[in-house]
């Protein structure tokens, strides 16, 4: 029976939903008046804050867009307003005589209040703030298609990520120089650029002297008011000597004394990365400090004393190719004239004719900061890349540079759940969300004010034979642990499975209807732990994969999404390190249970894997044998299958335009970041890394932007 309005009109779906919502609100107010009042006040405060933020945004964006509509020529054009691009733009416009244009396909970060709330970063995926890439099927991860979120917003991934601040290991950069020939990129030379950006707000007692700065615009804190289980995890790592052995592995004989480590654990951004500590994060005052907020926001507000009229930030415009006319400089190097853009609004409306394209000219240079996916894509659409690949899709070759889009590396991790007997971790349900929202609205406390990732550890994990071939603690670690004090329940897991990973363990080429059947089967078999059971998630992470992937064009159409081939686990050693990392993680969690049996419970296994192994071993269906099941969970067979089914990206692709001495394996020069054969085209983002760093990659990306600015100024 239809819901009828007076006069016989059928009520709209909006009206139906409105009536349902009104009933829910009335019920909530009647049954929990105190909580309802708290929530209402909190919601009102959030609305007021958003109105104020919107008013400020209007003032800023109005000025920028007016400035961008007239001028078509700038000294420097930076394509990509991500982490590197924001830092680079802020430094280049310090010269008041230089006109700088920063182009970003997304919108200003301050247009969406969700960005500022740290714990909501996951809600930004699959929105208009995300490029929403997907990979090809990855053979060694059960033919899964992996979802790759990348920030489509001013600030790039620094506006959408988990805000974790990790510089990497000093030997990462020393090896960039010694192993990959990138002279000048050693740790001693690049440390000042980390310090230049960093505005560290951590107490001096919890940082290593000489490795941090308080003066930079990027505000960095360390887990504020961390949960008890996060601190206990760090303590358990210390007690087993994680990362303290001569080879950088576990060594109880080398366990750190209780008084040898600060309360927050080792300073992994300091003199020694090995060991465990609470995460550094780009969060201040309960809000995200993105590269856009740190570097750009103070410069575009006309009411600010730091306002720079020579910086123009053009948002909502997508670069489709470089403008080139075949010009060369006095050294015979090719010169680009500028960049061809399209408005995102025209793309959405289908207005794709040349009349809807606009060209911006560069007097001096064009710098690409579109990231490890966007930068090689833009180069290839401009005829710069592997000749055979370009000819295959009909793009005229301007420069045959085979390495464009290749040598891609990415971190992957795999999650393990453990009981949280202290019930400190978060669980994503409605009552918890309402409480968290109210606490955040009043004084920016509670679950929403921080990243769910509170603790981490760095160490070496593998067989003794493999470890013996490395440098031990004198080299970079191969494993990181992300410790999250919480879990994602079944309904969210299934949504993730269906909408983002397109999990198909049998055949990814099946029609979508059959793939949906498999998702429904997973939904039927997967069960949440009981509602009374709270869990934490521990994720061993592969830091230096030997498997390498690629980014290539699907067609000559610049609006087509690229082909991303991750090639995860193609090299056996990657699997070996992940399995060894998971084994070491279990040693830590066993110690955590011994240290705090009232807080840390048993591992919650993936029963579907256990049942499959039992079936393969010929165990009668339905037969229960706790000892056998525990042995299966502890087996390498279980761990390998868990990795293949559940390992996924940590969102750190790098290396697709790697730097180094000119040759077939590199794209840009280490001494100036200029694309080989070009006199005024540079790249400054994660794509230039010759080798992925030991940890989350946002801080290194900002450092790269800082270095590029000094290269252009002749100071590096």
């Amino acid at each position: 029976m239809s819901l009828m309005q007076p006069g016989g009109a059928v009520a709209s779906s909006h009206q139906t939903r409105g009536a349902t919502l009104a009933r829910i609100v009335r019920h909530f107010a009647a049954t929990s008046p105190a909580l309802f009042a708290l929530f209402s006040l909190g919601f009102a405060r959030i609305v007021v804050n958003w109105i104020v933020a919107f008013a400020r945004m209007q003032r800023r964006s109005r000025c920028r867009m007016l400035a961008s509509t007239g001028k078509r020529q700038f000294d420097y054009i930076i394509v990509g307003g991500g982490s590197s691009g924001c830092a680079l733009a802020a430094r280049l416009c310090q010269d008041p005589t230089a006109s700088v244009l920063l182009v970003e396909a997304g919108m200003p970060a301050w247009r969406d209040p969700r960005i500022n709330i740290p714990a909501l970063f996951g809600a930004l995926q699959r929105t208009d703030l995300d490029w929403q890439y997907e990979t090809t099927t990855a053979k060694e991860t059960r033919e899964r298609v992996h979802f790759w979120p990348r920030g489509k917003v001013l600030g790039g991934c620094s506006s959408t990520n988990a805000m974790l601040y990790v510089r990497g290991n000093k030997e990462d950069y020393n090896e960039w120089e010694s192993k990959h020939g990138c002279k000048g990129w050693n740790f001693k030379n690049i440390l000042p650029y980390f310090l230049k950006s960093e505005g560290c707000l951590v107490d001096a007692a919890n940082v290593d002297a000489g490795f941090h700065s308080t003066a930079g615009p990027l505000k960095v804190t360390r887990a504020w008011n961390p949960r008890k289980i996060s601190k206990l995890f760090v303590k358990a790592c210390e007690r087993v000597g994680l990362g303290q052995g001569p080879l950088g592995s576990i060594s109880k004989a080398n366990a750190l004394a209780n008084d040898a480590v600060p309360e927050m654990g080792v300073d992994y951004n300091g003199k020694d990365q090995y060991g465990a500590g609470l995460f550094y994060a780009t969060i201040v005052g309960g809000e995200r400090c993105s590269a856009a907020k740190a570097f750009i926001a103070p410069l575009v507000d006309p009411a600010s004393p730091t306002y720079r009229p020579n910086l123009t930030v053009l948002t909502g415009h997508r670069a489709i190719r470089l403008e080139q006319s075949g010009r060369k400089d006095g050294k015979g190097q090719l010169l680009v004239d500028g960049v061809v853009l399209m408005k995102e609004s025209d793309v959405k409306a289908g207005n794709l004719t040349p009349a809807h394209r606009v060209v911006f000219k560069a007097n001096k240079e064009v710098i690409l900061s579109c990231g490890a996916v966007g930068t090689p894509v833009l180069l290839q659409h401009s005829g710069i890349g592997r000749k055979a690949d370009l000819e295959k899709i009909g793009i005229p070759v301007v420069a045959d540079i085979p390495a464009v889009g290749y040598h891609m590396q990415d971190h992957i991790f795999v999650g393990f759940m453990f009981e949280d007997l202290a019930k400190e971790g978060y669980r994503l349900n409605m009552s918890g969300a309402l409480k968290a929202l109210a606490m955040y609205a009043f004084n920016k406390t509670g679950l929403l004010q921080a990243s769910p990732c509170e603790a981490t550890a760095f160490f070496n994990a593998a067989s003794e034979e493999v470890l013996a071939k490395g440098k031990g603690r004198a080299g970079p670690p191969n494993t990181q642990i992300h410790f999250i004090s919480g879990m994602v329940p079944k309904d969210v897991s299934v949504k993730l499975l269906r909408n983002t990973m397109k999990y198909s363990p049998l055949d990814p080429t099946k029609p979508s209807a059959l793939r949906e059947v498999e998702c429904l089967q997973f939904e039927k078999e997967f069960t949440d732990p009981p509602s009374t059971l709270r869990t934490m998630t521990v994720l061993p992470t592969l830091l230096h994969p030997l498997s390498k992937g690629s980014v290539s064009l699907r067609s000559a159409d610049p609006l087509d999404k690229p082909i991303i081939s991750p090639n995860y686990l193609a090299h056996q050693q990657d699997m070996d390190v992940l399995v060894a990392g998971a084994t070491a993680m279990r040693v830590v969690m066993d110690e955590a249970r011994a240290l705090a049996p009232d807080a840390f419970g048993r591992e919650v296994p993936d029963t579907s894997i256990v049942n499959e192994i039992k079936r393969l071993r010929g165990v009668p269906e339905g037969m229960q044998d706790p000892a056998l099941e525990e042995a299966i969970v502890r087996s390498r067979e279980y761990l390998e299958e868990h990795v293949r089914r559940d390992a996924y990206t940590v969102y750190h692709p790098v290396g697709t335009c790697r730097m180094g001495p000119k040759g077939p394996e590199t794209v840009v020069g280490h001494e100036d970041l200029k694309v080989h054969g070009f006199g005024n085209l540079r790249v400054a983002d994660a794509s230039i890394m010759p080798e992925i760093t030991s940890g989350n990659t946002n801080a290194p990306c900002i450092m790269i932007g800082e270095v590029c600015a000094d290269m252009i100024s002749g100071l590096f």
Side-chain angles (χ1 to χ4, degrees), residues 363-647:
N363 297 328
K364 295 183 178 180
E365 297 194 16
V366 173
I367 306 101
L368 306 185
S369 297
C370 306
V373 176
T375 290
V377 165
L378 183 56
L379 286 173
Q380 290 172 88
H381 275 301
S382 304
I384 304 168
R386 186 168 292 192
K387 181 179 179 181
D389 291 352
L390 298 177
E391 290 179 338
K392 184 169 61 176
I393 57 176
I395 292 180
V397 178
V398 174
D400 180 14
I401 305 179
V404 172
Y406 290 85
H407 305 287
M408 183 182 71
Q409 291 179 293
D410 186 23
H411 293 143
I412 55 174
F413 55 16
V414 58
F416 293 79
M417 288 198 306
F418 293 83
E419 291 179 329
D420 171 16
L421 302 181
K423 293 185 170 24
E424 273 201 324
Y426 64 88
R427 186 182 176 97
L428 299 178
N429 53 35
M430 183 56 69
S431 62
L434 292 175
K435 179 181 177 182
L437 182 60
M439 292 180 68
Y440 187 84
F442 273 104
N443 54 8
K444 290 189 171 65
T445 60
L447 296 178
L448 298 183
Q449 58 81 34
S451 172
C453 302
E454 288 190 333
T456 189
F458 297 90
F459 61 101
N460 280 327
S463 66
E464 291 297 314
E465 179 184 359
V466 170
L467 293 181
K469 295 178 181 177
K471 297 181 179 179
R473 287 177 53 83
N478 64 21
T479 303
Q480 178 184 5
I481 290 177
H482 290 74
F483 181 84
I484 303 176
S485 54
M487 68 160 288
V488 180
K490 174 180 176 179
D491 58 340
V492 180
S493 297
V494 172
K495 181 180 179 182
L496 175 71
L497 195 65
R498 179 175 286 112
N499 294 339
T500 65
M501 297 181 75
K502 296 185 178 178
Y503 181 81
S504 182
L506 302 179
D507 185 356
T509 64
K510 286 181 179 178
S512 58
L514 294 180
R515 293 175 64 151
E516 174 64 12
V517 167
E518 291 178 0
C519 283
L520 291 172
Q521 182 66 19
F522 173 88
E523 186 172 4
K524 177 181 178 182
E525 294 179 356
F526 181 87
T527 56
D528 273 344
S531 59
T532 55
L533 180 64
R534 303 283 281 273
T535 63
M536 61 196 80
T537 307
V538 192
L539 300 106
T541 307
L542 175 68
L543 289 182
H544 291 281
L546 297 181
S547 308
K548 295 184 178 180
S550 63
V551 175
S552 58
L553 300 185
R554 194 174 302 276
S555 74
D557 184 349
L559 302 183
D560 269 358
K561 288 194 173 181
I563 300 171
I564 301 173
S565 303
N567 210 26
Y568 293 139
L569 302 176
H571 198 290
Q572 180 60 38
Q573 186 170 309
D574 291 350
M575 172 64 81
D576 293 341
V577 171
L578 269 174
V579 168
T583 302
M585 174 273 300
R586 283 174 165 172
V587 173
V588 171
M589 297 306 289
D590 287 344
E591 183 66 27
R593 278 192 293 276
L595 175 66
D598 58 334
F600 292 87
R602 66 179 181 87
E603 180 177 342
V604 181
D606 186 327
T607 54
S608 65
I609 297 177
V610 173
N611 291 336
E612 177 65 12
I613 293 175
K614 286 169 66 176
R615 185 186 67 80
L616 293 174
R617 292 183 179 182
V619 177
E621 185 176 355
M623 176 181 174
Q624 301 299 315
D625 186 339
L628 172 62
E629 291 169 4
E630 175 64 19
I632 288 174
V633 170
R634 291 278 171 168
S635 69
R636 181 183 175 94
E637 186 180 9
Y638 174 93
L639 291 177
E640 282 203 14
E641 184 61 19
H642 188 36
V643 168
R644 295 191 191 282
R645 289 193 185 194
D646 298 317

Side-chain angles (χ1 to χ4, degrees), residues 125-128 130-134 147-150 561:
Q125 298 179 7
R126 289 285 183 182
T127 70
D128 59 351
D130 177 12
W131 282 102
Q132 304 183 40
Y133 294 122
E134 290 181 343
F147 174 57
W148 269 28
R150 310 306 299 157
K561 288 194 173 181

